[in-house]
Amino acid sequence: MNKASKGSRVYLIVVVGLFSLGTGIIATVVPLFAGRVGGSHLDVGMLGLFYGIAYLASAIPSGLMSDRLGTKNIMLAGMAFTLASYLGYSASSTIPHLGAARVLEGIGWATWWCSLEALTTHMATEKGSGRLMGFISTVYGSGFVGGSILAGLISAGLGHGFAFRAALALSLLATVMFYALVRIPRQTHDEQAQASARQGTEAPRGLMALVPYIVAVLYSFAMHATMVLLPLYALGILGTEAMVGVLMATFWFGRVVAFTTAGMMSDRYGSVPVLMFALGIAVVASVLVGTLTHGMAMIASAFALGVGLGSVFPACIALISRCVPAHRRGAATGVFETMVGVGMIVGPATGGLVAQSLSPGVTYYVNALVMVPALFILARCLRERRGCPEI
């Protein structure tokens, strides 16, 4: 890798960190602001539904366009949609206003993130995709940790409107840096052909090839129900918005801890065992989040849940990078994120309905139950991975 490529990689990492810092603020403030303007748990869940529908509709097209029109152009388009959504949040005063902004954010994040995933698989070595995706995810998660803390502090001290504007400023800076400084590497036709030939003989078939997409739906259900509803649920237990910020930062810190570790372990031991371990932790931790209502116990459970859910993502991307030829990875990550979008739609809507009709804590029991089938599927795949232990 030449100096220009290394420099672009460093700039990209900074951009991901800044952009995620802004998104971390938004993820925590939107549920709190919705509650402030009279929204219920069901309303907050429906906001997640709006986001998920927009994300689902955008994921595959953005992946395909990334392959055809260039990763940088599509990533810039995604960042522009995201900035527009933050302007929408700043001007919002009702739940419908928030819903419209959530739609824009869903389009923007899907467009940006799918292209970033494809770019990461191109920049990685053949057997280092899990490590690189884990590192990028660590930076992304660290931004959410900082953003969650800032969200609680800014909301408590200066108000939700100022928090929305702070997120807009950080994300605008990231967009300018990305446009001016990041240069996207291109694979030559020979490199693409060689990679495709290698992967054509090694790619798993049948159930194994579907694993990342099946897992994406089930883990996304639990993750997005948690991200959308946990701030409002925690506010009733912890009492202050600043403490909610600490809780969400702890959840994201657990994800950060998991991102790099899971990526390296996936490269070393294979993605399937890592996924089984991760989902097992997530099931147990989700039950604990719904059961333990003491402040510190709830925060500790949120950390464990972050570790479990955070380990899933880099392992799935590593599996995709070994199953899909290089020139089709934009489309493959688009399909993966579409499956994430399905969970993103169903999870918050179901969780909001359960919280409203039964109890907010029951939502996390439902999340745990939804993830259990993935464990059985992975156990079967573990028996079928003979001869291909890196998977």
Side-chain angles (χ1 to χ4, degrees), residues 15-384:
V15 166
V16 170
L18 285 173
F19 204 67
S20 300
L21 189 63
T23 307
I25 293 174
I26 293 295
T28 300
V29 173
V30 167
L32 297 176
F33 182 67
R36 183 64 60 87
V37 297
S40 65
H41 287 275
L42 181 58
D43 291 327
V44 173
M46 293 305 292
L47 290 177
L49 174 66
F50 296 153
Y51 180 100
I53 290 173
Y55 192 102
L56 179 65
S58 306
I60 288 181
S62 63
L64 291 171
M65 287 188 293
S66 176
D67 288 336
R68 295 175 183 177
L69 302 179
T71 305
K72 185 169 185 177
N73 293 332
I74 302 306
M75 289 179 71
L76 283 169
M79 296 171 98
F81 273 108
T82 303
L83 291 172
S85 75
Y86 293 177
L87 283 172
Y89 288 131
S90 300
S92 294
S93 58
T94 66
I95 295 297
H97 292 162
L98 289 175
R102 287 293 274 172
V103 169
L104 286 175
E105 188 186 2
I107 295 171
W109 189 261
T111 304
W112 182 72
W113 186 250
C114 290
S115 300
L116 177 63
E117 288 174 339
L119 173 61
T120 302
T121 64
H122 287 310
M123 293 174 69
T125 60
E126 186 175 356
K127 294 186 178 180
S129 54
R131 183 188 299 269
L132 181 58
M133 194 68 239
F135 186 73
I136 292 288
S137 300
T138 298
V139 176
Y140 144 80
S142 298
F144 269 79
V145 171
S148 298
I149 293 174
L150 286 174
L153 294 176
I154 293 173
S155 295
L158 300 172
H160 299 118
F162 194 91
F164 289 140
R165 290 189 288 274
L168 176 63
L170 288 166
S171 300
L172 180 60
L173 176 60
T175 302
V176 172
M177 287 185 62
F178 180 72
Y179 175 77
L181 300 175
V182 176
R183 300 292 179 266
I184 305 299
R186 293 181 178 273
Q187 282 190 306
T188 66
H189 291 298
D190 289 342
E191 288 172 334
Q192 290 181 352
Q194 291 170 7
S196 298
R198 285 195 302 271
Q199 289 172 319
T201 60
E202 297 171 359
R205 301 176 186 275
L207 183 61
M208 183 72 79
L210 297 176
V211 163
Y213 308 111
I214 295 171
V215 170
V217 176
L218 302 180
Y219 113 94
S220 176
F221 180 106
M223 186 181 76
H224 288 94
T226 299
M227 287 177 59
V228 169
L229 296 164
L230 185 56
L232 193 56
Y233 173 49
L235 183 62
I237 296 172
L238 301 177
T240 68
E241 294 182 344
M243 285 301 296
V244 172
V246 171
L247 175 78
M248 295 306 295
T250 303
F251 170 74
W252 274 99
F253 181 66
R255 296 195 72 194
V256 168
V257 169
F259 282 145
T260 299
T261 304
M264 291 188 295
M265 293 299 100
S266 180
D267 289 338
R268 185 171 182 179
Y269 298 112
S271 299
V272 173
V274 172
L275 287 170
M276 287 192 69
F277 180 72
L279 287 169
I281 291 176
V283 167
V284 174
S286 191
V287 171
L288 292 177
V289 167
T291 303
L292 302 177
T293 56
H294 183 274
M296 291 308 298
M298 188 178 188
I299 289 173
S301 300
F303 173 79
L305 183 57
V307 170
L309 294 175
S311 299
V312 173
F313 174 72
C316 283
I317 295 300
L319 186 56
I320 288 172
S321 72
R322 293 164 193 151
C323 297
V324 179
H327 64 286
R328 295 179 182 172
R329 287 183 192 156
T333 56
V335 173
F336 175 80
E337 291 300 332
T338 297
M339 297 299 101
V340 169
V342 172
M344 193 183 295
I345 291 172
V346 180
T350 303
L353 181 61
V354 169
Q356 190 74 18
S357 59
L358 298 176
S359 166
V362 176
T363 298
Y364 304 94
Y365 303 150
V366 174
N367 290 347
L369 186 63
V370 164
M371 290 185 282
V372 169
L375 290 171
F376 289 101
I377 293 170
L378 289 165
R380 178 178 173 183
C381 289
L382 193 62
R383 296 193 297 269
E384 296 178 357

